[in-house]
């Protein structure tokens, strides 16, 4: 079973989940301002929804870039791999929901619950991402022959901290939900270059 | 007529229908809790909408995996096959609607009607899926030459119980709507490995 | 400029426009029933929204099948062709809006305006589709060398009645909006086989 | 790293962002008319939402056509290029939000704020588009060997005025928001042919 259609479906889910995020900006507008506020005022006080949009879009973008990197090493798919992919994409497609919670509740009552939901979703994603990669990698089950072992090791080293990092993000949310969201943004912005660095250092 | 664009369009519909499911989780939130409830409470009492999301996403994922398996045997498409595909995708794209009904009504007034609508949609899908496969298969009309007859038989055997199983799911809904939804989940989770088993046993 | 990405983008718009149609079924539910009606009653009186869904989905499906047929004859694209495609897709992506109008107003006040909007959108689509095909065909501008002239003539003959037929659909709406919608359904169901017939008769 | 999946993801975001625009037409309907107005009246007074739809769809369409043109010159992608692409697509996917603001507020209170938000989004897009192209072009970093230098120069010349033009569009919004929106439409309609002209003149 080749991987062409798998990538088309995955790219579709990534693209749609990312694009649907804008609906949470949309539905939030006005809810932060008193009735009769000017549009300019509404746009100003809606900043948490822009932050949530940017963080989620970049996070989905990073996952997509990483997914891209892994799929380049994969030679073929089996049904278990397809099923893990479906589960993984189910979590990706879930992201717009906690993103909307963060947009609606950050700096307002309920912000702890909203950011817990958000961080738990990202954690679930990191866990499934690791399961997915380990399944493909174990005994080079689905790996193309031409891929050197050192590259597999580098990818594993780059992905390994993912679960721990998202656990830290979740822990920070207990103290300060906004700080947790900003940490997620930093993670999204620096994770990929760091991963790339890892490979260059060892490759 | 080759099948590349057919798969792109189908993958698009699968991916979008699956990703739109999250909107029903979104719109349900809060409707289960009294006015002024905390977000944490709203998130807790919304569990039927998560169940509905997971069941529908996995079901669409399974159909996609199976569609993938069948399309690998198909050599070319004719217009009748395209039209059956359009009808089949019309039912797939309909799934977010009864999913939302289940999310909104499970464990509440109207749950029988909601689950009937859900189960009838899945039944219609199973019927169209069988029509689609039988059309392609009859006299090897659209099947690639290299595919052995034993593989076609294995696919047919794996898909044959589909209609009966969804009839059982519908029958269970008369007695207990929640049980019917959970049975759909079990069906989605075990159907694919079972189908794969069938082939290995005979191939 | 090759046509691969053009088809990916077009297939994306077709798939999304078709899948978004379900939102109009969604938003209509309940608006036809008195407050406190059972879900079963709401689902029954919502039949115009199902009709609108089926008609629009099949219509978009047919356009997609025909687009598929034409693109198989096209060798390359130029910028004018891309721009006509963008305009054409703009009308396709508009279809969910009048579909929702029909879902909300059929058999109710405003049904004439709703069906006029619907029929005018389909007419605009038929006009742009003809412009698009004629541009590609004139002097075999974008046609692959291997395509026989008789096939181009057959496609033209199959598409020529489109504008007239959608004018008839619009005229019927003045007398009876429901009849106009049903006529659109018949058109979608029979247009493709008829087009295929034309080619076989002459090919 | 080849560019196939990059294009699939980008085409997905373009297609979905363009298709989601119709939701702003949808949600605007009726808000411009007094309660109890006929549907015909509601459809008439909703013209700003149609204008906003057409302008945004054509703008996204033009960006897509230009993206297409550039990607044909690109031989491979690196991670920085992927990250700029994600940032660029984040702005493209944001477009439906200010489009809805324009649909809701044009010719009404708040139209200045709405059109500023719209024009700033398009300006951000033009800036990121330039960053993206310059990154690929510098020292022919990602350019295919077969592409002549004159073609790169022509593309740069065609894209260079983009930022200035969208600054003019923004300046016009201070004086007259409607004029600014119409100018955006003219820009979308003439920019591509102008770009094509540039190349022919120098190629």
């Amino acid at each position: 079973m080749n991987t062409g259609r798998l990538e088309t479906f995955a790219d579709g889910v990534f693209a749609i989940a990312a694009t649907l995020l804008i609906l949470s900006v949309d539905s939030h507008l006005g809810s932060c301002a008193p009735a009769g506020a000017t549009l300019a005022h509404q746009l100003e006080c809606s900043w948490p929804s822009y932050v949530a949009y940017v963080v989620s879009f970049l996070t989905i973008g990073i996952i997509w870039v990483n997914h891209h990197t892994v799929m380049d090493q994969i030679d073929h798919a089996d049904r278990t791999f397809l099923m893990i992919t479906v589960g993984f994409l189910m979590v990706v497609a879930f992201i717009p929901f906690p993103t909307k919670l963060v947009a609606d509740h950050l700096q307002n009552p309920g912000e702890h619950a909203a950011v817990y939901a958000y961080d738990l979703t990202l954690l679930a994603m990191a866990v499934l991402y690791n399961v997915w990669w380990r399944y493909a990698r174990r005994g080079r089950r689905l790996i193309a022959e031409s891929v050197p072992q050192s590259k597999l090791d580098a990818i594993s080293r780059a992905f390994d901290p993912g679960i721990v990092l998202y656990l830290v993000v979740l822990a920070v949310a207990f103290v300060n939900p906004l700080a947790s969201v900003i940490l997620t943004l930093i993670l999204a912005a620096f994770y990929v270059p760091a991963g790339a660095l890892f490979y260059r250092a060892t490759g």
Side-chain angles (χ1 to χ4, degrees), chain A residues 124-156:
Chain A
M125 193 198 69
V127 169
L128 272 163
Y129 196 77
N130 264 273
V131 170
W132 178 76
W133 168 239
R134 276 158 203 277
Y135 178 81
R137 207 215 143 150
R138 179 175 297 261
R140 301 183 66 103
R141 198 184 331 230
L142 309 173
I143 307 292
E145 271 192 38
S146 60
V147 179
Q149 189 64 24
S150 67
K151 186 153 200 188
L152 300 184
D153 293 343
I155 290 177
S156 289

Side-chain angles (χ1 to χ4, degrees), chain A residues 15 19 43 45 58 82-83 86 109 112 114 127 129 143 147 151 156 160-161 163 186 195:
Chain A
T19 319
L43 286 171
C45 72
L58 288 185
L82 287 183
M83 288 313 294
V86 168
H112 275 94
V127 169
Y129 196 77
I143 307 292
V147 179
K151 186 153 200 188
S156 289
D160 272 351
I163 293 174
I186 294 170

Side-chain angles (χ1 to χ4, degrees), chain A residues 12-13 29 45-46 55 77 83 94 96 108 110 114 123 130 134 147-148 156 167 178 183-185 201 203:
Chain A
V13 171
L29 187 76
C45 72
S46 288
V55 175
M83 288 313 294
F94 195 77
N108 278 306
L123 186 61
N130 264 273
R134 276 158 203 277
V147 179
S156 289
L167 277 171
L178 180 56
L183 196 59
T184 312
L185 177 62

Side-chain angles (χ1 to χ4, degrees), chain A residues 24-93:
Chain A
S24 71
V25 176
D26 220 56
S27 77
H28 176 71
L29 187 76
S31 67
C32 58
T38 62
L39 179 59
H41 181 198
Q42 293 178 37
L43 286 171
E44 266 170 53
C45 72
S46 288
W47 66 263
S49 73
Y50 312 142
V51 172
Y53 173 78
V54 169
V55 175
S56 289
F57 200 103
L58 288 185
T59 301
I60 292 178
I62 272 41
I63 314 166
W64 171 72
V65 171
N66 286 336
H67 190 262
H68 196 304
T69 306
V70 168
M71 290 306 290
D72 280 352
Q73 327 303 329
I74 301 279
D75 177 64
H76 63 281
D78 63 17
R79 283 186 163 229
T80 307
F81 189 73
L82 287 183
M83 288 313 294
I84 302 175
T85 300
V86 168
F88 169 65
L89 293 174
M90 183 170 74
V91 178
V92 170

